[in-house]
Amino acid sequence: MAFNKFKESFLLTLLKISTILIAIVGITFLIPIAFAVYYEEYDMLPAFIVPMVISIVLCALVNLPTLHVKVSLKTKQAFVVVALCWIVTSLMGAIPLYLCSSFNSFIDALFESVSGFSTTGATILSEIETLPMCINMWRCITHWLGGMGIVTLTVAIMPLLGIGGFQLIKAETTGPEKGKVTARITTTAKVLWGIYFGFTVVEMIALKIAGMSFYDALAHAFATLGTGGFSVKNLSIGAYDSVAIDVIITIFMFLSGINFSLFFYLFARKFSDIAKNSELKAYIGIVIVVITAITLIILPQYGSFGTSLRYASFQVVSIMSTTGFSTMDYTTWPVAAQFFIFILFFMGGCSGSTSGGVKIIRWVVLGKQLNNETKKMLHPHGVFSVRLDGQPERKDIVLNVISFMVIYLILVLITTFVGCLAKLDLFSAFTGSLSMVGSVGPAFNLLGPSANYGFLPDFVKWWYCFAMLAGRLELYTMIIFFVPSFWKN
């Protein structure tokens, strides 16, 4: 009787999902293990093999005896599961980094792991090219796993979740509106991951043709599609000094900032759904306007329209999509150009993409509400509603967006204060907080694209880890634990 009660408990649900998740992460260790063998980095093998075996054994011990137990989650439980799963995954990802002896402390390894899985791309390393090849590959793989969502991956390959799967994906995915692309949530997860995998393969092949080695092409494809920004080069993409590579990565960063559901509509030939998408039109418009402005501003610096357009396009799309790759240090540009880059820190990509940030859809909602308020001044008795994609939205969407923006700003301000405690100058601390919460990676001044986060004291790194996870999970999933009413029955 006691065992039956335990089987039905939330603890069992949490154990089943979390152990399956870390087993999935453990299995992905096979990729860096393969590179460790290929490059004869045999001393690195235990750092991956030991945690991989332990994770698989734990998964088997928990799940095999309860194989036929149906998993179902309430909304409150889904928040707990998703938050704890991301924490456990980050800890799991930090183990090989710590054991490889390339990081000074566990918090450094954990910071790198959280930055990887949250697709922030901020690194504590000043020298990347001296890392073991398998470790550098693992850093980029964390982006790929975190980009589409590690819980979404679990849902895709674990139909045991049943109706609880949608609650999990709602707690993990980005944007104010959560929905299903297909009738079944497991099918939706599989479709999105299929598109994600396909894009990764295509980009890898393109980068290989453009001149990268297979290793570099695979690593940067992982990092690009996850909009992460970890590179295997100290100078990031700028190390290749290749127009073709810049163009390819710019295109795929741009695509990764788009709602992946729209790619499903594209393949399903639902062109009208794409054409009327309000967020996509705003996303494209902002990118074009900012690229044009920066290109004209930096034109005197480079003396060539083509070169200016190349650097402006790459940096704009990199920051807009929150990828964080760089081919040029934008802090060396005129202040007017830096202003536009700074503005992009408040934007982010589209909802349902692998990008971080506030998300374009929220700015679209606020813009439409501002327009409605203006109309009300002219027509006091008129009734106006926010319309997205040509359809009226629910009345509370504006309030939800405003609430999110307020919480986002509060977290940014708190994170800025933490940075100031570490004696960062105010602008470094502020843009660094925008970078952490928005999953951007580089910031300005002391935390610019040519710098790293390794010099920060440990207490800042711990807080930044929380800020990165909170930003990746759209704030509520992490912050809700600090709300007293959440813990009431």
Side-chain angles (χ1 to χ4, degrees):
M1 179 67 70
F3 178 70
N4 289 334
K5 290 182 179 180
F6 174 74
K7 286 199 303 181
E8 297 172 357
S9 70
F10 169 62
L11 177 60
L12 179 60
T13 300
L14 179 61
L15 284 174
K16 284 175 68 68
I17 296 174
S18 60
T19 54
I20 288 175
L21 184 56
I22 63 172
I24 292 171
V25 175
I27 291 172
T28 62
F29 282 175
L30 290 172
I31 300 175
I33 287 172
F35 281 101
V37 172
Y38 181 81
Y39 290 108
E40 300 182 353
E41 297 171 340
Y42 301 118
D43 56 331
M44 292 291 104
L45 291 177
F48 290 100
I49 293 176
V50 172
M52 178 182 71
V53 172
I54 292 175
S55 67
I56 294 174
V57 171
L58 282 175
C59 180
L61 290 176
V62 172
N63 287 278
L64 289 181
T66 59
L67 192 60
H68 301 294
V69 177
K70 186 73 172 180
V71 174
S72 180
L73 289 172
K74 298 179 181 178
T75 300
K76 179 184 291 189
Q77 294 173 334
F79 281 111
V80 176
V81 170
V82 170
L84 292 182
C85 281
W86 274 81
I87 293 172
V88 170
T89 300
S90 298
L91 291 169
M92 178 76 172
I95 293 174
L97 298 179
Y98 180 64
L99 295 178
C100 77
S101 301
S102 296
F103 294 82
N104 296 326
S105 62
F106 181 75
I107 180 55
D108 282 355
L110 181 62
F111 181 94
E112 200 81 2
S113 178
V114 172
S115 180
F117 280 111
S118 66
T119 73
T120 305
T123 181
I124 58 93
L125 299 168
S126 58
E127 181 59 48
I128 295 172
E129 294 178 30
T130 58
L131 286 176
M133 305 290 277
C134 59
I135 292 296
N136 254 334
M137 180 58 69
W138 173 240
R139 292 170 67 245
C140 295
I141 291 172
T142 59
H143 281 334
W144 195 74
L145 292 174
M148 183 56 68
I150 50 178
V151 175
T152 305
L153 175 60
T154 306
V155 173
I157 64 178
M158 196 184 97
L160 287 173
L161 288 181
I163 61 173
F166 185 54
Q167 298 298 334
L168 286 174
I169 289 184
K170 282 178 65 179
E172 181 184 58
T173 51
T174 60
E177 294 292 315
K178 327 279 187 178
K180 303 178 184 179
V181 174
T182 61
R184 293 176 58 85
I185 194 62
T186 52
T187 304
T188 297
K190 290 174 183 177
V191 166
L192 295 179
W193 266 94
I195 296 171
Y196 190 54
F197 179 82
F199 278 177
T200 305
V201 172
V202 172
E203 185 189 0
M204 180 194 67
I205 294 173
L207 290 174
K208 181 69 174 66
I209 294 173
M212 279 191 181
S213 66
F214 171 76
Y215 174 90
D216 287 12
L218 180 61
H220 287 105
F222 282 149
T224 304
L225 266 298
T227 61
F230 279 158
S231 176
V232 298
K233 299 292 185 181
N234 292 332
L235 297 178
S236 190
I237 307 304
Y240 299 97
D241 193 23
S242 167
V243 175
I245 289 175
D246 288 1
V247 170
I248 292 168
I249 292 181
T250 300
I251 291 173
F252 280 94
M253 287 191 298
F254 178 79
L255 293 176
S256 299
I258 295 175
N259 190 326
F260 272 70
S261 298
L262 297 183
F263 297 121
F264 171 79
Y265 295 148
L266 178 63
F267 299 139
R269 297 184 178 182
K270 297 181 179 180
F271 303 121
S272 60
D273 291 330
I274 301 173
K276 67 183 181 182
N277 188 271
S278 304
E279 185 179 33
L280 178 62
K281 288 185 283 189
Y283 176 69
I284 294 174
I286 293 171
V287 169
I288 292 175
V289 169
V290 177
I291 287 177
T292 301
I294 293 181
T295 299
L296 296 176
I297 293 171
I298 66 175
L299 183 57
Q301 182 172 336
Y302 295 105
S304 166
F305 181 81
T307 302
S308 301
L309 178 61
R310 170 190 170 188
Y311 289 142
S313 300
F314 191 97
Q315 266 61 234
V316 167
V317 175
S318 179
I319 299 299
M320 183 77 170
S321 66
T322 71
T323 304
F325 279 144
S326 64
T327 56
M328 185 60 58
D329 187 345
Y330 51 74
T331 62
T332 63
W333 287 351
V335 177
Q338 294 184 47
F339 168 79
F340 282 100
I341 294 293
F342 173 69
I343 292 299
L344 295 180
F345 275 71
F346 295 89
M347 296 295 176
C350 299
S351 59
S353 69
T354 59
S355 298
V358 172
K359 300 295 182 302
I360 298 301
I361 188 62
R362 292 190 171 95
W363 291 112
V364 171
V365 170
L366 291 180
K368 288 180 177 291
Q369 180 62 21
L370 179 62
N371 183 53
N372 286 343
E373 293 298 328
T374 303
K375 290 179 179 179
K376 286 181 181 179
M377 294 179 65
L378 300 175
H379 307 283
H381 301 293
V383 178
F384 307 97
S385 62
V386 172
R387 301 178 68 88
L388 296 176
D389 306 342
Q391 300 294 325
E393 288 296 313
R394 66 181 197 273
K395 295 181 179 179
D396 65 341
I397 190 170
V398 176
L399 181 60
N400 287 348
V401 168
I402 293 175
S403 299
F404 175 89
M405 300 289 254
V406 170
I407 296 174
Y408 192 93
L409 178 59
I410 291 173
L411 182 57
V412 165
L413 292 177
I414 294 174
T415 306
T416 300
F417 176 69
V418 172
C420 290
L421 291 178
K423 299 182 179 179
L424 291 174
D425 64 271
L426 184 58
F427 195 56
S428 294
F430 180 59
T431 56
S433 67
L434 288 173
S435 182
M436 293 296 99
V437 181
S439 304
V440 179
F444 282 83
N445 291 359
L446 296 177
L447 302 176
S450 298
N452 63 75
Y453 291 72
F455 68 94
L456 296 172
D458 287 353
F459 78 89
V460 177
K461 294 173 185 175
W462 281 108
W463 179 262
Y464 277 6
C465 284
F466 169 76
M468 286 188 285
L469 287 177
R472 171 59 183 84
L473 297 176
E474 294 274 279
L475 305 185
Y476 293 109
T477 303
M478 295 295 292
I479 294 177
I480 200 171
F481 290 104
F482 299 96
V483 178
S485 61
F486 176 79
W487 300 102
K488 296 180 181 179
N489 293 330

